[in-house]
Amino acid sequence: SWGVSATYLGSYSDRLWAQSAQNPGVFLGLGPCTLNTATGPRSYPVCSVNGNLNERRVLSLENPVRSSQIGALDLNTDIGWQKYKGLKLAARHRSTTGVSLNASYTLSKCEGTATANTFNQTSAGYSIPDDPDFDAGYCDQDRKHLGTLNMGYQTPEIGSGVVRALASNWRLSGILSARSGNRINVTSGVDRAFNGIAAQRPDQVSDDIYGAGKDASDLEPGQQINDYLNRNAFALPAAGAVGNATRNLAVGPGYWQVDLAISKLVSSIGTQRLELRIETFNLFNTFNWGDPAANLNAANFGRITTQAGAPRILQFGVKYDF
């Protein structure tokens, strides 16, 4: 009545659609300079500032007159890749007593370059357009641990008369779901490369990226709220440089929830049947933390201000089959 299995899951995907800037800004140093613009030469006391981004773009430096109406320019092309590998352990139990169990646990890892999972935004592509692998890191959908446990039980038909009607044909089914937290991409919030590309990352200056220098799973509740990520583990990169922090290097709080359904089958005349049902989502009203703010330039960096999932929900139902 028991069955167990171990499965290796692996995949590699390339030629995935991704976004690459074709007309980014060029860092020209922090000294004074004169740039050719559509209206003629213009001098700047500081050559690379966000205010003259359009004058420093690739096409503007080549021909400022012909490119005067061209700002951000992105190419969607098939240059992305991702690879996944995981070990899945599963167990099943069936018995004549009405009990059934189905459990699975997956230990996995997904790495690759960033790929668009929503409608593309302007200047939101690779940090270094000519080097997509610089943005290689953990996939947005990466989950190191993923587990589920399904349980079902149906009471047998016992007794007779009122006892049989009340005690027989009850069905209980429950699901325990647990998983590692979401991947978190720590961003600098500042265009230190002066190229106009969004979601730049900071430098990582310490391995203790979680609050109080601890692993995320060891944090006290108060630390999870106010100090989930350690601000001192990151720093803004030098002017004209991109940060060395790996994309999606942090992991948010884990998540678990138990759902339960109880139903009662009432036989009627002929093939008619009545089912009474109550379902509870998040049976124990578990509070799961949301993800912390990951913008290093924000005042609430590392702070959790959201909840993941929903509180306990009850719903009742009656189904009549005929």
Side-chain angles (χ1 to χ4, degrees), residues 154-214:
Q154 180 171 345
T155 59
E157 296 187 357
I158 57 176
S160 59
V162 176
V163 174
R164 183 185 184 91
L166 295 178
S168 302
N169 294 323
W170 284 92
R171 290 180 177 176
L172 285 80
S173 59
I175 302 175
L176 166 63
S177 302
R179 62 176 182 266
S180 299
N182 299 319
R183 279 288 168 182
I184 301 173
N185 188 34
V186 178
T187 59
S188 63
V190 179
D191 184 4
R192 293 293 289 175
F194 294 97
N195 58 11
I197 297 177
Q200 296 179 23
R201 299 185 298 278
D203 283 336
Q204 181 181 346
V205 297
S206 171
D207 292 333
D208 298 324
I209 63 174
Y210 298 106
K214 298 180 180 179

Side-chain angles (χ1 to χ4, degrees), residues 19-178:
Q19 187 176 344
S20 180
Q22 302 298 293
N23 193 30
V26 178
F27 179 69
L28 299 176
L30 300 178
C33 70
T34 300
L35 298 177
N36 292 321
T37 68
T39 58
R42 184 174 179 181
S43 298
Y44 294 92
V46 179
C47 196
S48 299
V49 294
N50 292 328
N52 65 2
L53 172 62
N54 287 330
E55 285 73 22
R56 293 184 292 103
R57 291 188 181 275
V58 172
L59 297 180
S60 296
L61 295 176
E62 292 179 2
N63 191 320
V65 176
R66 296 182 61 183
S67 62
S68 60
Q69 301 301 316
I70 302 176
L73 181 64
D74 297 291
L75 174 68
N76 286 284
T77 183
D78 54 348
I79 55 176
W81 62 270
Q82 288 184 353
K83 58 182 179 180
Y84 171 87
K85 55 184 177 181
L87 173 66
K88 181 179 180 180
L89 306 176
R92 290 184 177 183
H93 174 64
R94 297 288 186 271
S95 71
T96 57
T97 60
V99 177
S100 64
L101 296 173
N102 190 348
S104 67
Y105 166 73
T106 302
L107 175 66
S108 63
K109 184 178 183 180
C110 180
E111 296 177 299
T113 58
T115 57
N117 52 21
T118 59
F119 191 82
N120 288 347
Q121 303 297 313
T122 303
S123 299
Y126 291 119
S127 301
I128 303 178
D130 295 333
D131 184 14
D133 284 346
F134 179 80
D135 280 346
Y138 293 98
C139 305
D140 294 340
Q141 69 272 22
D142 176 74
R143 294 288 187 279
K144 184 175 181 180
H145 304 287
L146 183 65
T148 60
L149 172 62
N150 300 330
M151 181 206 71
Y153 175 69
Q154 180 171 345
T155 59
E157 296 187 357
I158 57 176
S160 59
V162 176
V163 174
R164 183 185 184 91
L166 295 178
S168 302
N169 294 323
W170 284 92
R171 290 180 177 176
L172 285 80
S173 59
I175 302 175
L176 166 63
S177 302

